[in-house]
Amino acid sequence: MNEEAGRPSTFAQRLRSLREAAALTQEELAHRAGLTSNAIGALERGERRRPYPHTVRALAAALDLDDAGRAALAAAARPPAVLAEVSMPTVDPGRMADSQKPRSETTGSPSDPAPVKRSSAPATPSTSLFGRDADLADIVGRVRAGDVRLLTLTGPGGVGKTRLALAAATRLEPDFPDGVAVAELAPVADPDLVLSTVAGALGLPQVGRLDVIGQLAAFLGGRRPLLVLDNVEHVLAAAGDLVELVARCPRLTIVATSRSPLRIGAEQVFPVSPLGLPVEPSSTAVLSSPAGQMFLDRARAAAPAYSVTRESAPAIAAICRRLDGVPLALELAAAHARLLAPATLLDRLDQALAVGRSRELPPRQQTMQATLDWSHGLLTRTEQVLLRRLSVFAGGFTLPMAEAVIERLPKSDLEVFAALAGLVEQSLVVGPDVNGRYRLLEPIRQYAAVRLADADEAPMMSAALAEQVADMTALAGAGLRGREQRWWLDSLDCEHANLRAALAWLGEHPETGRAAQLLADTWLYWALRGRAGEALALLDQLPGGDPESPGPERLEDRHRAAALMALAGLRYATGDVAGTRVAGGGAIESARASDRVELLGEALVLAASGAAFAGDMSAAADLLADASSLGAGVDPWVVAHLRLLHGQIEVLTGDLEAAGRTLVDGERLARLLGSPFTLATILNVRASLAKLTGEDAEALELLIEAAALASEAGISWTQVYTLPGLADLAVRGGQPELAVRLYAAGAALADGTGLAVSYPPDVERGAHGIALARAQLDPPTFERLWDSGRGLDLDQVAALAESLRGERFPPSQQNQAD
């Protein structure tokens, strides 16, 4: 006891006096207790006025206190009574004499309680909040509005619910004249003990076993405290008691944290999301993102000299993305900054999360596995099974997709819908978003994947996903070549990570041939969305041999035809003219050997394009003749691209008049087909021809439409041609500044996607145009404009194209007529 004050000393005073009595420095005590010296200093300065119970126990052990000393230290750690100290005898209130009854049951008015002592601020974590300003303001605003009786902060384990709730409670303390109390429910295993724990937090530690709610209602009377209930998810059976408590204590406000809502009438739910991620792998992006800021803050706590540099920024950004911005995961990973450089930490991230290095956290949060074990233990058996099986989805999923994959399993009787609802309720699955997609945060998915492997279910789940994706992409083959092109492109973008996972598994089973067919069905997606280089790398990695290999281990002809046709298309998109010819020739040979007519036409067009762009017009003409002889059953997409290639060859051979007629007919076929890519490509070629004939105004109109089509459908391949095409017109129109920006934007797009211009007239004109623009500008101006153009938002291309209109390029007569 502090004799002078006549009351227990504060925790800060008691801790300091005990440390000094033990002749320990702060550093020595920190070492003994498994804490940091900064944490000891904060406790002794009173900056952390309500330490965690496990912290108090660690300090008591480090100071070698006896039972009485431990009890005294624990008592000092509790905040001053939230309400006036009222002695409540543990007897049936119904048997009390009037003089013994609480004020609310006698003549005193519940709305006029005796003066009370305000509590100290609730304990706040020693680390800063990042990226939570809007959330904090929203929570505080809702509570202050007065229409919230119970606000539940929900989210997965480690997302920062407790930290946010305590920060809100601290900010709200002046609004609650009868104080703020925190009830930690994590140690409470029995829902029947929740109200007793609440009573203790509110300053009423001794309650009778009967009618605890009545005793709390009598004790609170008309007082207005704020109660924080931390970690409610495992005692949801106490929800009925909380309903009655809120009803009988009309001035009590509760802020709760839970992995799942309580689902009671008085409740409002506030989902807590992970922290925002770096938008790109740069120092600026890392430093401006909440996830990057938190990682760096915690890394500097472990290694004060830790900093983000141009070299380390990509690895730090990747760490933030891998951890999906989950604060606990970031904190656990950052604790290893003293030992591991960012790139090494990224490689060993799973190990880092499995080894706890923060003794300040409760045991259930010292590793991600411990945190997720806590959540996993609250699930039903069916929910546990579904959670581990959902880990196979690398890129999220829709409900129909999950059901379809699960149904492929032998003896599958899993009720996906009901179990998924439970996982969403427990914040282990996020969604659905506006597209109806669900996903597991990456730390949760990794945890579930380990459980899937432990259950020996990983092979069957990978096979089921791969087969489902292969069936889906079989439909995409036709869809990508017609009016539904944009829908299929967007759909495959959503499934991109699952597409990669399916390819990996199918590639390990080349005997099925489904990996080759999947690539043949989707090569256009990879090319149009600027992923051709990625697809080529995947194709190289597929087991089963090089599709171009003539050896005995090569694929069957029907599978080899599919793989080589995809290879030819991807090489064409990346500007590899020679490679296009080789792969296209092999695809033709294998398609004929296996009677794969549906692949033969496309392979002939690709091989002919390679021959023509290489200057071998004779070979190109022969291949086109072969394609034209296939008959009326040829895919309309192939027919339209045959007309396009005919027109390109006529331009290359100098027959510009014939080329004009051919390309106009090709445009007609493209509009009937409805493929934005096909139409935009033909418009680009028509614009190239218009420039050769001096019709720059018409070329501009054609390029403006091509740019709009590409922007609307999200097609990168045609933009690689359209941007330098527009830049060329800007140079010719006396606008070198705009030309440089457009050339730079085209170059940046090509660099970022691996796509390239390979049509010879456009290659030559682009090189000439850049040289001309450079000659018209001084070097510093050119470099400044070039840097500006490389950061150009492609959504601005259509507007820039419109700016080219004017006296130099008035709308063509045809455009005016339209």
Side-chain angles (χ1 to χ4, degrees):
M1 296 289 289
N2 183 327
E3 300 297 338
E4 293 180 2
R7 59 177 176 80
S9 66
T10 66
F11 183 83
Q13 293 168 335
R14 182 171 290 274
L15 177 62
R16 182 173 181 176
S17 64
L18 288 170
R19 177 180 61 78
E20 291 176 345
L24 295 174
T25 65
Q26 289 185 347
E27 290 75 12
E28 290 169 337
L29 178 58
H31 179 73
R32 287 189 181 188
L35 303 173
T36 65
S37 56
N38 287 339
I40 299 296
L43 289 168
E44 291 191 356
R45 290 191 298 272
E47 294 174 6
R48 297 186 58 204
R49 284 171 282 182
R50 188 163 181 262
Y52 290 114
H54 61 271
T55 300
V56 177
R57 290 193 294 271
L59 289 168
L63 291 164
D64 196 23
L65 301 181
D66 58 18
D67 289 345
R70 290 170 185 257
L73 185 64
R78 287 195 292 269
V82 176
L83 307 172
E85 294 186 8
V86 178
S87 175
M88 287 290 296
T90 57
V91 297
D92 185 344
R95 297 183 179 178
M96 291 182 183
D98 286 346
S99 61
Q100 295 177 305
K101 289 184 179 181
R103 181 171 181 154
S104 60
E105 293 189 36
T106 58
T107 56
S109 169
S111 61
D112 184 28
V116 297
K117 190 183 302 178
R118 292 182 57 176
S119 76
S120 60
T124 54
S126 58
T127 55
S128 302
L129 280 175
F130 296 95
R132 298 298 193 196
D133 289 349
D135 287 344
L136 189 56
D138 194 352
I139 292 168
V140 170
R142 291 194 196 193
V143 174
R144 281 178 175 165
D147 57 351
V148 177
R149 299 297 313 286
L150 170 59
L151 182 66
T152 304
L153 278 54
T154 62
V159 82
K161 302 181 295 295
T162 299
R163 192 183 303 264
L164 184 56
L166 293 177
T170 298
R171 187 169 295 186
L172 285 164
E173 187 193 9
D175 298 85
F176 288 87
D178 295 311
V180 177
V182 180
E184 296 180 0
L185 299 181
V188 180
D190 186 351
D192 291 339
L193 298 179
V194 168
L195 289 182
S196 298
T197 305
V198 167
L202 288 170
L204 183 61
Q206 296 182 352
V207 294
R209 290 177 296 174
L210 301 176
D211 192 23
V212 178
I213 293 176
Q215 295 176 64
L216 278 167
F219 178 66
L220 291 175
R223 299 182 178 95
R224 185 169 174 256
L226 174 66
L227 172 63
V228 177
L229 295 180
D230 193 26
N231 294 296
V232 182
E233 59 274 349
H234 63 300
V235 286
L236 292 177
D241 290 340
L242 294 176
V243 170
E244 189 174 353
L245 179 65
V246 170
R248 295 183 63 176
C249 302
R251 303 194 71 192
L252 172 67
T253 299
I254 300 175
V255 174
T257 72
S258 177
R259 286 159 171 77
S260 60
L262 279 69
R263 298 300 183 202
I264 60 179
E267 180 186 42
Q268 286 190 22
V269 177
F270 187 94
V272 179
S273 301
L275 299 178
L277 301 173
V279 295
E280 59 183 26
S282 68
S283 302
T284 301
V286 168
L287 290 169
S288 62
S289 71
Q293 292 166 1
M294 179 172 185
F295 177 84
L296 290 170
D297 177 79
R298 303 317 302 142
R300 286 166 181 158
Y306 198 92
S307 63
V308 58
T309 64
R310 178 179 297 181
E311 293 73 25
S312 67
I316 296 174
I319 289 169
C320 294
R321 288 193 298 271
R322 273 274 305 277
L323 300 179
D324 248 326
V326 175
L328 177 60
L330 292 167
E331 185 168 356
L332 293 173
H336 296 267
R338 185 176 179 180
L339 304 174
L340 303 174
T344 307
L345 176 57
L346 177 61
D347 290 339
R348 295 177 174 265
L349 204 50
D350 291 343
Q351 292 173 271
L353 296 184
V355 180
R357 297 191 64 82
S358 177
R359 296 187 180 91
E360 190 175 358
L361 296 170
R364 62 187 171 80
Q365 288 188 325
Q366 289 188 6
T367 67
M368 279 306 298
Q369 179 173 339
T371 295
L372 294 173
D373 279 343
W374 168 275
S375 298
H376 188 267
L378 302 176
L379 302 178
T380 66
R381 179 187 174 280
T382 301
E383 291 166 349
Q384 290 175 348
V385 171
L386 182 61
L387 177 66
R388 67 175 182 252
R389 292 180 178 178
L390 291 177
S391 69
V392 77
F393 292 101
F397 55 91
T398 62
L399 175 59
M401 181 75 162
E403 290 175 329
V405 171
I406 297 295
E407 285 172 3
R408 289 178 177 271
L409 303 179
K411 299 180 181 178
S412 176
D413 58 354
L414 192 64
E415 289 291 337
V416 175
F417 177 76
L420 179 61
L423 294 175
V424 172
E425 184 90 349
Q426 291 281 346
S427 301
L428 288 167
V429 172
V430 179
D433 62 13
V434 294
N435 296 314
R437 295 187 68 81
Y438 300 82
R439 73 186 185 99
L440 280 67
L441 296 176
E442 190 58 22
I444 297 174
R445 194 183 76 81
Q446 294 290 341
Y447 171 86
V450 171
R451 288 195 167 266
L452 187 72
D454 290 344
D456 292 327
E457 293 178 347
M460 74 172 186
M461 283 303 303
S462 295
L465 174 64
E467 293 298 327
Q468 181 63 29
V469 170
D471 285 352
M472 177 191 69
T473 56
L475 301 174
L480 285 169
R481 289 159 175 77
R483 295 186 182 279
E484 296 180 338
Q485 185 175 84
R486 179 180 178 179
W487 186 89
W488 275 106
L489 289 172
D490 291 343
S491 297
L492 291 173
D493 258 350
C494 289
E495 300 294 347
H496 182 73
N498 293 326
L499 192 58
R500 288 179 58 96
L503 269 173
W505 190 89
L506 292 171
E508 293 173 357
H509 301 80
E511 68 280 358
T512 69
R514 301 213 73 180
Q517 188 59 50
L518 189 154
L519 281 166
D521 290 331
T522 62
W523 78 264
L524 198 55
Y525 155 71
W526 299 89
L528 298 188
R529 283 289 161 93
R531 301 179 184 272
E534 180 185 358
L536 284 170
L538 288 171
L539 191 56
D540 287 343
Q541 295 167 10
L542 290 180
D546 183 348
E548 293 177 327
S549 170
E553 300 301 323
R554 77 176 194 175
L555 299 169
E556 294 181 24
D557 280 327
R558 60 196 178 105
H559 301 153
R560 186 168 180 264
L564 285 171
M565 196 276 289
L567 181 60
L570 294 167
R571 285 178 172 173
Y572 181 34
T574 55
D576 182 358
V577 173
T580 303
R581 293 188 72 182
V582 172
I588 292 168
E589 176 188 348
S590 295
R592 282 179 171 151
S594 59
D595 199 26
R596 296 292 299 273
V597 178
E598 73 278 10
L599 294 176
L600 181 57
E602 197 162 339
L604 284 165
V605 171
L606 289 167
S609 298
F613 292 5
D616 191 346
M617 298 305 167
S618 175
D622 290 342
L623 290 165
L624 283 180
D626 286 349
S628 299
S629 68
L630 292 178
V634 178
D635 187 339
W637 190 84
V638 172
V639 173
H641 281 268
L642 275 173
R643 295 304 291 160
L644 165 64
L645 184 54
H646 270 294
Q648 288 177 309
I649 290 175
E650 286 166 345
V651 171
L652 292 172
T653 57
D655 193 349
L656 303 187
E657 186 176 346
R661 293 191 298 269
T662 302
L663 291 172
V664 167
D665 185 53
E667 181 182 338
R668 177 186 63 81
L669 293 173
R671 292 188 186 279
L672 289 173
L673 179 65
S675 160
F677 164 68
T678 303
L679 179 55
T681 301
I682 290 179
L683 292 174
N684 276 334
V685 177
R686 282 198 62 205
S688 184
L689 173 61
K691 293 177 191 177
L692 291 173
T693 58
E695 299 173 275
D696 285 2
E698 181 181 359
L700 177 59
E701 300 305 323
L702 293 165
L703 290 173
I704 286 175
E705 183 179 0
L709 283 166
S711 177
E712 183 178 353
I715 297 172
S716 299
W717 192 356
T718 54
Q719 288 279 47
V720 169
Y721 282 83
T722 303
L723 284 163
L726 290 167
D728 180 48
L729 288 176
V731 171
R732 293 152 70 107
Q735 299 185 55
E737 295 88 352
L738 177 57
V740 172
R741 294 183 68 205
L742 289 168
Y743 277 130
L749 180 60
D751 291 344
T753 60
L755 300 169
V757 175
S758 57
Y759 184 44
D762 291 342
V763 174
E764 296 169 8
R765 189 177 293 112
H768 175 73
I770 291 176
L772 188 59
R774 188 185 293 273
Q776 296 178 36
L777 300 168
D778 61 83
T781 300
F782 182 92
E783 295 300 329
R784 176 178 58 79
L785 292 168
W786 188 267
D787 289 342
S788 171
R790 287 189 67 87
L792 185 68
D793 186 343
L794 294 182
D795 290 338
Q796 301 173 11
V797 172
L800 290 175
E802 291 284 349
S803 72
L804 282 169
R805 283 198 175 113
E807 294 183 4
R808 180 65 182 84
F809 300 127
S812 65
Q813 291 184 351
Q814 167 137 19
N815 181 261
Q816 289 175 342
D818 291 343

